[in-house]
Amino acid sequence: MKNITIVGVLEERSNGFIVKTELGTEFKLYAIRPMEAVAPDFDIGKYAAFVGKKVRASGMCDGNEIYSATVEEI
């Protein structure tokens, strides 16, 4: 995994929150790390305030998933 920062619009889907970049790439957000012993959707409600807004998301990336994601409106 590597640390990344992306910019895009945050959307809510039935299976969680994603950030869609201008190029159309989608990254699913997780508030936890993959090795943590809690449900994968733990604490994702903190992203709800950013739905429909342009954001900068940072965290540890594994493919198209960002773990320990932090989000800020830009």
Side-chain angles (χ1 to χ4, degrees), residues 13-40:
R13 303 270 174 91
S14 60
N15 62 343
F17 294 91
I18 62 117
V19 174
K20 188 172 185 178
T21 67
E22 290 181 358
L23 298 176
T25 307
E26 296 181 351
F27 291 87
K28 186 169 181 180
L29 302 179
Y30 292 93
I32 62 167
R33 293 185 176 153
M35 62 290 259
E36 291 188 56
V38 294

Side-chain angles (χ1 to χ4, degrees), residues 55-72:
V55 297
R56 179 180 299 119
S58 303
M60 299 181 331
C61 184
D62 184 17
N64 283 13
E65 299 173 329
I66 301 177
Y67 295 95
S68 295
T70 58
V71 173
E72 63 180 325

